[in-house]
Amino acid sequence: MPVIEVEHLHKRYGDRTAVADVSFSVDEGEIFGILGPNGAGKTTTVECISGLRHADGGRLRVLGLDPVKDRARVVADLGVQLQHSALQPNLKVSEALRLFSSFYERPADWRELLELLGLGPQAGTRFGKLSGGQQQRLSIALALLGNPRVAILDELTTGLDPAARRDTWELIESVRDRGVTILLVTHFMAEAERLCDRVAVIDSGRVVALDTPAELTAQLDVQQRIRFVPSAPIEDSLLTDLPEVESVSRRGEEILVVGGAEALAAVAAQLARHGVLAHRLRVEQPSLDDAFLAITEQSEAPNSEAQNTAIRPTRHTG
Ligand SMILES: Nc1ncnc2c1ncn2[C@@H]1O[C@H](COP(=O)(O)OP(=O)(O)OP(=O)(O)O)[C@@H](O)[C@H]1O
């Protein structure tokens, strides 16, 4: 049985459609990512799944239960860390954890969570004095206090520096290793690539792609760009003769070869046949970033059905 089931979710704010038609399911033990540009409907989707908002249409199930009608039973197994959750600035870390523990029948040991999240030294620190990374860690700890089987984490590393982001990724992996299924909303492709088993790309309130990060990038018809400095002079024709190669250009002593997925193997074999070595070899492969842009640009094509029914997203770059 999937842990989260979303079928044709639809949600409007007044006459504006925030989520037009979203369907996906999350299996037990997965880290499932939701990606999409600003205003795509990601937060609205997870707020409906959490039971914090009423859907206008569609069917939602969390652990087989309706998140609104069976709210009391769902919250016992669901931990939610939402965007911009702020606590009273004077509340100390240990006080916040003790207070939130009292909301649950069988809370986790908050002292253990404090250590797991590396917040031990901050136990007596007030929320307002924590760094951005420490505040995020605390909000994750609060989401895990009820010993949830499912955790929803919305943009948990936004605003963190690269080191804090990496630490948080390790933390999320350790949470998953404890058996928690995780639904993760993120803007960061690297985060999705590193953490997520599968990813749904949402644009204009619809799922426009759903697959593993590797499959999403593999489906892309993006060229490989191969740069190297040959150990001996070579003619361009040596490379342009190869059917896998689309173009060859030079910048100083460096050669740039652009070609399809098989170009690297073909170029390497050709150079080897002529006894030439490729020094300072660099290959640029398509990334999930490229896939994301290709998918969302495609879904914004003028005749796209989504454009007529949902609010337009504003492109973000971060
Ligand atoms: N409470 C609200 N009232 C009216 N419109 C809203 C409300 N919340 C969100 N919206 C609109 O619904 C659309 C979807 O918003 P949502 O926050 O779900 O998108 P998102 O993908 O999470 O965006 P972001 O990446 O910026 O957080 C946006 O156009 C937003 O302006």
Side-chain angles (χ1 to χ4, degrees):
M1 184 187 73
V3 166
I4 297 174
E5 296 165 84
V6 181
E7 286 172 20
H8 302 296
L9 176 66
H10 183 84
K11 173 71 188 169
R12 286 183 303 275
Y13 295 110
D15 57 359
R16 304 176 80 202
T17 302
V19 178
D21 184 0
V22 164
S23 300
F24 61 83
S25 65
V26 181
D27 294 328
E28 185 158 16
E30 260 193 316
I31 301 184
F32 187 95
I34 299 186
L35 284 175
N38 285 129
K42 305 179 298 293
T43 296
T44 304
T45 299
V46 296
E47 285 177 348
C48 290
I49 296 169
S50 319
L52 297 170
R53 288 195 189 279
H54 289 243
D56 294 311
R59 178 179 175 274
L60 293 171
R61 289 289 178 273
V62 176
L63 296 160
L65 301 169
D66 183 313
V68 173
K69 290 198 189 106
D70 304 313
R71 181 144 181 77
R73 286 167 68 199
V74 171
V75 291
D77 281 320
L78 180 67
V80 183
Q81 180 258 344
L82 290 173
Q83 252 181 63
H84 319 303
S85 41
L87 292 172
Q88 229 263 11
N90 283 331
L91 202 61
K92 289 180 185 164
V93 168
S94 57
E95 289 169 346
L97 287 163
R98 209 176 298 135
L99 173 70
F100 279 69
S101 291
S102 66
F103 301 160
Y104 297 99
E105 253 175 51
R106 291 180 305 279
D109 181 342
W110 64 264
R111 288 177 193 82
E112 198 187 300
L113 269 179
L114 201 69
E115 294 307 323
L116 175 77
L117 286 137
L119 281 172
Q122 281 76 40
T125 308
R126 297 185 194 282
F127 181 74
K129 298 277 178 210
L130 295 176
S131 71
Q134 290 163 347
Q135 289 188 358
Q136 291 290 55
R137 282 164 177 270
L138 179 58
S139 71
I140 298 167
L142 295 176
L144 298 177
L145 257 186
N147 264 326
R149 288 171 61 195
V150 186
I152 296 183
L153 308 170
D154 193 354
E155 294 195 21
L156 82 162
T157 62
T158 298
L160 298 190
D161 65 40
R165 186 170 301 149
R166 265 166 211 287
D167 288 350
T168 311
W169 291 347
E170 276 175 26
L171 176 72
I172 298 307
E173 283 168 337
S174 72
V175 171
R176 189 257 297 273
D177 293 344
R178 288 157 63 109
V180 180
T181 303
I182 297 171
L183 179 62
L184 179 77
V185 176
T186 181
H187 274 314
F188 297 107
M189 303 303 134
E191 183 162 296
E193 251 168 338
R194 157 84 186 258
L195 288 180
C196 297
D197 299 301
R198 289 187 304 141
V199 169
V201 181
I202 296 186
D203 197 4
S204 302
R206 289 171 191 275
V207 175
V208 291
L210 199 163
D211 218 321
T212 62
E215 274 303 313
L216 286 177
T217 47
Q219 284 160 17
L220 265 192
D221 190 19
V222 173
Q223 297 156 323
Q224 271 190 346
R225 298 164 69 81
I226 304 154
R227 296 172 198 276
F228 64 94
V229 175
S231 60
I234 57 169
E235 296 290 328
D236 282 4
S237 58
L238 191 76
L239 301 170
T240 52
D241 282 351
L242 297 168
E244 295 85 355
V245 169
E246 286 165 27
S247 70
V248 173
S249 56
R250 291 173 187 258
R251 200 171 56 192
E253 56 180 1
E254 187 181 73
I255 295 182
L256 168 64
V257 179
V258 178
E262 305 302 324
L264 178 61
V267 167
Q270 183 77 320
L271 293 178
R273 270 194 294 276
H274 290 80
V276 177
L277 297 175
H279 292 309
R280 306 212 301 263
L281 176 69
R282 280 179 296 145
V283 183
E284 290 167 27
Q285 301 278 10
S287 66
L288 191 58
D289 254 326
D290 298 311
F292 176 78
L293 286 175
I295 291 162
T296 53
E297 272 160 17
Q298 212 172 42
S299 79
E300 282 174 28
N303 292 329
S304 150
E305 200 187 337
Q307 194 161 23
N308 302 323
T309 50
I311 298 161
R312 303 304 309 143
T314 40
R315 169 84 44 222
H316 77 95
T317 51

